[in-house]
Amino acid sequence: MLRRLEEDWLLIADRNFYNWEDWCAAADTGAALLWRVKADLRLPVLELLPDGSYRSLLVSRKVKGKARQQLVEAARRGEDLDEDKARPVRVIEYEVPDREGDGTGELIALITTITDPRQAPAGALAHAYHERWEHETGNRQLKTYLRGPGRVLRSQSPDLVRQEIYGYLLTHYAISALICQAATEADIDPDRVKFKRTVRVLRRRAADPAFSP
């Protein structure tokens, strides 16, 4: 899938997906990367930047001890580095103090290939990472609220299975478009309109003999 990335894309990933090999493979496509990383990843501070982010260095797990420290010092001096051993990154760290439940007070660390804060300030990248959850929400809407828990596709024919999948996707798109239209007319954020409640309303309306899609 990484080979399908294009240079004008931004690839966002959660913290369980980072590893040195995948990061390098994705970065080599030319696409911009914004990945969350775990708290135990060593990210040396090379330079503090005006937007609160800082320059850092990713080092291959094969490089250890004194060799690793030499790479860090070379990066601080602005020297060119062997990309098979180390890659420059920018780090954005922040907390969400009013987050409920698990994660309260948790430090979120993002790494990005966009090293110039003028191209993408720290706040904009943090907001972009937050919006990544729209994808997770969409998956839940399809698999749980629309399709129903435990339901499987009825046919074993590949063509019919594909047809049913497209049917779910088109229905999801139509409901999402309806939510956006209703939210725009009410002058509210579409995220405030509950997808699950909308599905229930539409199912009741669809049961009406006078209903027309």
Side-chain angles (χ1 to χ4, degrees), residues 112-161:
T112 180
T113 56
I114 307 174
T115 55
D116 187 348
R118 293 172 296 181
Q119 294 182 350
L125 291 175
H127 181 75
Y129 176 77
H130 170 75
E131 291 297 324
R132 189 193 76 82
W133 288 101
E134 296 288 347
H135 170 73
E136 302 290 343
T137 301
N139 286 340
R140 182 174 61 180
Q141 291 169 352
L142 273 167
K143 295 192 296 183
T144 304
Y145 300 150
L146 187 59
R147 190 166 64 93
R151 184 176 177 184
V152 297
L153 297 177
R154 293 187 297 271
S155 175
Q156 298 300 316
S157 166
D159 290 338
L160 291 179
V161 169

Side-chain angles (χ1 to χ4, degrees), residues 5-210:
L5 293 174
E6 299 182 11
E7 292 186 0
D8 58 346
W9 288 13
L10 174 64
L11 177 64
I12 302 176
D14 203 356
R15 60 182 167 180
N16 291 324
F17 291 94
Y18 170 77
N19 63 68
W20 167 259
E21 291 78 12
D22 285 347
W23 175 269
C24 293
D28 288 344
T29 66
L33 310 183
L34 178 66
W35 294 14
R36 186 179 176 184
V37 293
K38 295 181 178 180
D40 59 354
L41 182 65
R42 297 170 62 184
L43 295 168
V45 179
L46 304 182
E47 180 188 4
L48 297 176
L49 299 172
D51 66 342
S53 61
Y54 61 89
R55 288 197 311 111
S56 187
L57 193 70
L58 293 178
V59 180
S60 169
R61 57 186 176 179
K62 297 179 181 178
V63 181
K64 301 178 180 179
K66 186 179 293 185
R68 176 188 175 88
Q69 187 58 35
Q70 289 174 346
L71 283 174
V72 173
E73 294 301 328
R76 284 199 174 99
R77 294 191 297 267
E79 299 178 9
D80 293 334
L81 303 175
D82 183 348
E83 290 190 344
D84 291 334
K85 296 180 179 180
R87 302 284 181 112
V89 293
R90 180 164 144 244
V91 182
I92 298 96
E93 294 180 340
Y94 63 95
E95 293 182 349
V96 184
D98 59 347
R99 183 179 174 187
E100 297 180 357
D102 184 28
T104 300
E106 179 183 10
L107 180 67
I108 296 174
L110 309 177
I111 58 174
T112 180
T113 56
I114 307 174
T115 55
D116 187 348
R118 293 172 296 181
Q119 294 182 350
L125 291 175
H127 181 75
Y129 176 77
H130 170 75
E131 291 297 324
R132 189 193 76 82
W133 288 101
E134 296 288 347
H135 170 73
E136 302 290 343
T137 301
N139 286 340
R140 182 174 61 180
Q141 291 169 352
L142 273 167
K143 295 192 296 183
T144 304
Y145 300 150
L146 187 59
R147 190 166 64 93
R151 184 176 177 184
V152 297
L153 297 177
R154 293 187 297 271
S155 175
Q156 298 300 316
S157 166
D159 290 338
L160 291 179
V161 169
R162 188 179 297 109
Q163 184 180 38
E164 191 165 355
I165 289 173
Y166 273 108
Y168 278 119
L169 292 173
L170 289 171
T171 302
H172 182 268
Y173 177 83
I175 295 173
S176 299
L178 178 63
I179 288 174
C180 287
Q181 179 182 347
T184 300
E185 293 176 358
D187 194 25
I188 61 174
D189 188 330
D191 288 340
R192 294 185 58 189
V193 181
K194 301 296 185 182
F195 186 90
K196 184 177 181 180
R197 184 175 300 175
T198 304
V199 170
R200 289 175 176 172
V201 171
L202 289 174
R203 281 175 174 161
R204 289 197 298 267
R205 291 291 303 275
D208 188 336

